[in-house]
Structures are given as C-alpha cells and as structure tokens.
C-alpha cells in the first residue's frame, strides 16, 4: 500500500472530495438527510467549521476549517462514513475482500484532500465546489442545485444568485489533491 505524504497544518482549511464506491449510484442525494445527520454527529464529537459543501449523487466536495491545534480530518471522515453506512440496509454489492473484512461497499476507501494555501486558492476551490453540479450536467444554473452551500453563500452576499450562469474558467480541480 502506498504511503501518502501529508502536509498537515493545525487548524488548517482543507478542500475534500469524497466518492461513493459505485459511481453510478445516487445514494448521497437519496439519503441526504442521513448524510446531514452523520455530519452533525461527527461535529458533536469532533467539531470543525463547514466553509462550503456540495453533495452530488455519487460524490461530494467540501471545505472545512479545523479547530486551532487540530490536524485530524481523517477520523472525522471515518465517523461520517461509518454513521452513514450504519443508517443504510446492507444490500449493496460487496467484493469478497470487503465481505471478509466486514466492510460495506458504499464508500471508496480513500478521499482526496487539499490544504488551502491562501485567499485565492480558497476562492478557486469555493468556485469549483459550487460550480460542480453544472460541470457534471445535473443542472444548468448553480442556483438550481438544492444540495449546496451556494444558497447560504448567496444569503451572506458572497455570491449573487445568478453567479456563473454563463461560462466560467475555473483554475482548480481534483488533479491537485491527494488521496487519503
């Protein structure tokens, strides 16, 4: 197994991409309330700030800021994924390896993370995250996707309601993130 090097910063701000194992699945939006509950449970045990989040049918992106002195995003993801799995019936296809290990066949084992470096990097990742439903063809306008912090950002005056209704040039993507 590869040993990934991490650049961890206590209290850092991170961009994440988390995927379902089966990319043709819609579990995340079908069970978005369970996902929200899983995040709330995690935040009760291991607080963090949600800067932004978008949930698509088979993957999600988010930006978190960890508490001062804290670098442990991995266990937070473990809590979220575990709680989500426990709320679903065991009816997914599982490999023999997963069955043998007692693992579910819901999530990809790893996730992608990227340490936000500066204000421009933060803005680029915010834009990428919020534009993602349009990028993947789920909607024509960012404001039409219901499972996004975009609406909260509009209410706070960060984005206009018609932001990115035309073409947008994004300078960020999963390519600069590393698997966890």
């Amino acid at each position: 197994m590869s040993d990934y090097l991490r650049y961890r910063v206590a209290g850092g701000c991170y961009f994440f991409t988390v995927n379902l194992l089966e990319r043709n699945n819609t579990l995340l939006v079908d069970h978005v309330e369970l996902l929200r509950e899983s995040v709330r449970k995690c935040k009760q045990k291991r607080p963090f700030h949600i800067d932004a989040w978008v949930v698509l049918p088979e993957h999600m992106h988010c930006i978190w800021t960890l508490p001062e002195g804290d670098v442990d995003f991995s266990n937070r993801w473990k809590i979220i994924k575990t709680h989500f799995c426990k709320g679903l019936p065991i009816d997914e296809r599982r490999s023999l390896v997963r069955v043998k290990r007692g693992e579910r066949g819901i999530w990809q084992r790893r996730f992608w993370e990227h340490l936000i470096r500066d204000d421009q990097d933060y803005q680029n990742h915010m834009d990428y995250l919020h534009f993602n439903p349009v990028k993947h063809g789920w909607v024509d306008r960012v404001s039409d996707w219901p499972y996004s912090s975009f609406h909260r950002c509009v209410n706070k005056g960060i984005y206009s309601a018609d932001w990115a209704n035309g073409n947008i040039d994004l300078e960020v993507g999963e390519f600069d993130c590393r698997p966890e």
Side-chain angles (χ1 to χ4, degrees):
M1 172 135 203
S2 298
D3 187 23
Y4 296 103
L5 297 176
R6 296 271 173 222
Y7 185 59
R8 296 181 189 260
V9 172
C13 183
Y14 294 88
F15 170 86
F16 299 98
T17 299
V18 181
N19 297 310
L20 292 178
L21 182 61
E22 301 289 335
R23 292 300 300 261
N24 61 345
N25 209 317
T26 59
L27 274 179
L28 295 178
V29 294
D30 292 346
H31 299 279
V32 72
E33 287 307 319
L34 176 60
L35 179 61
R36 288 175 176 146
E37 178 186 318
S38 301
V39 172
R40 280 191 297 272
K41 291 278 187 186
C42 177
K43 287 183 73 175
Q44 289 172 353
K45 294 177 184 178
R46 307 290 309 270
F48 61 94
H49 180 264
I50 297 171
D51 294 69
W53 205 305
V54 66
V55 177
L56 289 101
E58 80 298 348
H59 76 285
M60 58 187 162
H61 299 289
C62 55
I63 299 175
W64 296 354
T65 301
L66 298 179
E68 190 173 323
D70 193 336
V71 297
D72 188 12
F73 49 77
S74 293
N75 279 317
R76 286 174 171 87
W77 278 116
K78 182 179 180 180
I79 292 167
I80 292 167
K81 287 178 168 186
T82 299
H83 189 272
F84 186 79
C85 286
K86 287 182 178 181
L88 297 173
I90 303 175
D91 60 4
E92 74 274 7
R93 186 177 63 82
R94 296 188 295 164
S95 68
L96 293 176
V97 172
R98 285 187 184 263
V99 171
K100 184 177 178 181
R101 291 180 179 174
E103 295 178 357
R104 299 290 304 266
I106 306 242
W107 299 103
Q108 285 186 359
R109 285 193 179 109
R110 301 186 186 283
F111 56 84
W112 294 87
E113 57 80 18
H114 167 81
L115 175 68
I116 301 293
R117 296 179 299 269
D118 56 31
D119 289 342
Q120 186 60 57
D121 193 32
Y122 182 86
Q123 188 61 54
N124 290 345
H125 281 83
M126 287 283 285
D127 292 350
Y128 176 83
L129 177 153
H130 288 121
F131 191 73
N132 217 247
V134 175
K135 174 189 169 196
H136 288 285
W138 294 106
V139 291
D140 292 327
R141 298 179 314 162
V142 175
S143 59
D144 291 340
W145 190 250
Y147 313 110
S148 175
S149 58
F150 177 75
H151 309 286
R152 182 182 73 185
C153 290
V154 167
N155 290 338
K156 289 183 173 183
I158 297 169
Y159 290 104
S160 66
D162 64 349
W163 175 80
N165 282 349
N167 289 334
I168 183 168
D169 183 26
L170 298 173
E171 299 178 19
V172 66
E174 289 95 349
F175 57 84
D176 64 353
C177 304
R178 298 181 187 187
E180 166 66 24

